[in-house]
Amino acid sequence: MPKPKPPVQAKRTVYDEDFRRSVVQMVLDGKSPLRLAQDLSISRSMIYRWRDAALATAAAPSGLPQDQSVGPCAKDLAAENSRLRRQLTVVTQEREILKKALSVVTRQT
């Protein structure tokens, strides 16, 4: 019996950095990743990976130099994310203080 042939692997398409950056910028500007994937005939998961990598790079303290950045939108999102994390910490601490105060008040009555 002859050996079965291994499946033929398609060549991987390699996208240049400018193309990736422009796709990520379109997503950050509000275009749907699903719609972009259909329009550009690329995988939606690839678009999400590019976006996540770009946001992680923009949020990193030693991110890319200014001329290679994803754009002001990504920086705004990173700044807002930092602000919201600080606010969450404050609100969580306030909630814990109020819980303790409530337990003290209910024990005294």
Side-chain angles (χ1 to χ4, degrees):
M1 183 167 191
K3 285 185 178 180
K5 292 183 179 180
V8 177
Q9 294 182 352
K11 285 189 172 185
R12 291 178 53 183
T13 305
V14 178
Y15 300 99
D16 66 346
E17 194 62 33
D18 289 334
F19 177 76
R20 291 180 188 187
R21 213 176 273 133
S22 66
V23 171
V24 168
Q25 190 60 49
M26 285 188 269
V27 171
L28 294 176
D29 289 340
K31 184 128 178 158
S32 164
L34 176 61
R35 184 71 178 167
L36 275 173
Q38 292 170 346
D39 292 346
L40 300 173
S41 300
I42 59 177
S43 168
R44 182 177 51 171
S45 63
M46 187 176 298
I47 293 174
Y48 285 120
R49 281 195 310 262
W50 293 346
R51 182 203 60 190
D52 293 344
L55 291 176
T57 302
S62 62
L64 295 173
Q66 183 65 26
D67 61 333
Q68 295 180 357
S69 66
V70 176
C73 190
K75 290 179 183 177
D76 293 342
L77 290 174
E80 182 180 13
N81 191 19
S82 297
R83 182 186 60 79
L84 290 173
R85 286 181 189 270
R86 287 190 303 271
Q87 185 178 3
L88 177 63
T89 302
V90 169
V91 170
T92 303
Q93 290 173 347
E94 290 173 351
R95 185 189 64 182
E96 292 300 319
I97 291 170
L98 290 173
K99 283 166 77 175
K100 289 178 184 178
L102 181 64
S103 69
V104 169
V105 170
T106 56
R107 272 191 258 154
Q108 290 177 356
T109 57

